[in-house]
Amino acid sequence: MSAMEQWRQQIEEWVRQQPIEQLYVAVAVLVFTLTFFGLFRMLRRSKSKTVWLAGLSGSGKTVLFYQLRDGSPHLGAVTSMEPNDGTFVLHFELEKKGKLNPVRLVDVPGHSQLRPKLDEFLLHAAGVIFVVDSLEFLPNCRAAAEYLYDILTKMTVVKQRIPILILCNKADKVTAHSKEFIRKQLEKEIDKLRALRSDIPTADLASEYKFGVPGEAFNFSHCRNMVTVAEASGLTGEISQVEQFIRELVKP
C-alpha cells in the first residue's frame, strides 16, 4: 500500500469517528471561508479604474485629457456637450516595461446643464480631478466654488470617500494665481455656500452631505474624503502631479 493510500484511509477513519454535528459545522465554515475570499477577490478586481476630469468650461480639461492620452495638447479642440471618454495606458508610461494597468479617463463638459448628472458620473469614480483656470480664476471663483461644493457634498463622494485633486491649470503663466491663493479663496466661497445651504430645509437636500465643523471657517481638511491641491500646465505638458494622483488611485 502506498503512502498516499495510507494517508487517505487515515483521513476517512478520522472523519467516521467525528460527531456528525462537528462535520456539518466544519463544512459550513469551509463554505463560508471560500465564499468570503471569492467575494473579496471579485471586489478587488472590480475596483473602479475611472477618473473624472471636472471643472468649468475653458479651464483646460480637454487639453489635459489629450496630454494624458497622447502627450500632446491637440490645440484647436472644440468644446463639446458630450464627455471625452477613453481607456488607455497613460502616455508617459508607454515606454515602461512590464504589464501596465489602463485607466479610464472621462472629461466631463463644464456646462451647467450636465450638473444634474453628477450622481451618475460619480457613482463609479475612483477619483475626481477638478480643474481650475489659474489665469481667469477671480472672475470665475464663485462659479467654480459652487461646482466644487456640489461635488464635495454628494453622498456618493462622502460615503465612498472619493479622493479629489483640485488642479490649478495654466500655472506656467506669469499672471497665474498660486495654488495657495486659489485654495484659500475656494474655502472662503464654500464657507459662504455652506452658511446659505444651512437655511434650506433638510428634505430639499436629501442627496447632500452637510460638512464642516460648526463654529469654524471651512477648510478642505474638514472633508471626509481626501482633498489635495496641485499645479499643472496642460499646454506645456507639466502634469506630473496629475499622473501621480491617477496612479495612486489606479495601480500600475
Side-chain angles (χ1 to χ4, degrees), residues 202-230:
T202 306
D204 296 334
L205 300 173
S207 64
E208 269 194 20
Y209 171 76
K210 291 187 177 181
F211 60 4
V213 177
E216 292 186 20
F218 172 78
N219 66 68
F220 290 118
S221 65
H222 294 165
C223 298
R224 293 184 65 184
N225 56 315
M226 180 184 70
V227 180
T228 53
V229 185

Side-chain angles (χ1 to χ4, degrees), residues 83-109:
N84 288 309
D85 188 339
T87 301
F88 47 84
V89 173
L90 298 176
H91 184 267
F92 85 103
E93 296 178 324
L94 291 178
E95 295 182 359
K96 291 186 177 181
K97 296 180 180 180
K99 186 177 180 180
L100 294 170
N101 201 3
V103 175
R104 182 186 176 209
L105 193 64
V106 184
D107 162 24
V108 184

Side-chain angles (χ1 to χ4, degrees), residues 48-240:
S48 176
K49 299 179 180 179
T50 303
V51 177
W52 295 93
L53 283 168
L56 300 178
S57 296
S59 59
K61 301 183 302 297
T62 302
V63 169
L64 284 166
F65 178 91
Y66 288 135
Q67 280 285 10
L68 290 163
R69 190 188 69 178
D70 305 326
S72 168
H74 288 254
L75 295 179
V78 178
T79 301
S80 172
M81 284 292 291
E82 296 298 325
N84 288 309
D85 188 339
T87 301
F88 47 84
V89 173
L90 298 176
H91 184 267
F92 85 103
E93 296 178 324
L94 291 178
E95 295 182 359
K96 291 186 177 181
K97 296 180 180 180
K99 186 177 180 180
L100 294 170
N101 201 3
V103 175
R104 182 186 176 209
L105 193 64
V106 184
D107 162 24
V108 184
H111 301 286
S112 58
Q113 296 95 316
L114 294 175
R115 303 285 172 83
K117 293 187 176 182
L118 271 178
D119 285 321
E120 176 187 334
F121 291 151
L122 296 169
L123 187 59
H124 303 293
V128 176
I129 300 171
F130 187 82
V131 186
V132 176
D133 185 340
S134 299
L135 281 175
E136 300 296 329
F137 172 69
L138 284 178
N140 298 306
C141 179
R142 178 73 176 193
E146 289 176 346
Y147 192 175
L148 182 57
Y149 181 95
D150 287 342
I151 293 174
L152 289 172
T153 55
K154 287 296 180 184
M155 292 303 298
T156 302
V157 172
V158 177
K159 289 181 178 179
Q160 298 182 17
R161 297 180 183 269
I162 297 175
I164 295 177
L165 174 66
I166 300 172
L167 188 69
C168 306
N169 192 27
K170 308 179 185 180
D172 58 301
K173 303 299 183 181
V174 176
T175 55
H177 294 287
S178 70
K179 67 178 183 180
E180 291 80 10
F181 176 82
I182 291 173
R183 176 181 60 79
K184 290 178 181 178
Q185 294 303 313
L186 286 174
E187 288 175 338
K188 288 179 181 178
E189 288 298 328
I190 288 176
D191 195 44
K192 295 176 185 176
L193 289 168
R194 186 180 60 146
L196 290 172
R197 297 292 182 95
S198 65
D199 296 330
I200 299 176
T202 306
D204 296 334
L205 300 173
S207 64
E208 269 194 20
Y209 171 76
K210 291 187 177 181
F211 60 4
V213 177
E216 292 186 20
F218 172 78
N219 66 68
F220 290 118
S221 65
H222 294 165
C223 298
R224 293 184 65 184
N225 56 315
M226 180 184 70
V227 180
T228 53
V229 185
E231 293 176 329
S233 172
L235 188 62
T236 64
E238 294 293 329
I239 56 173
S240 59

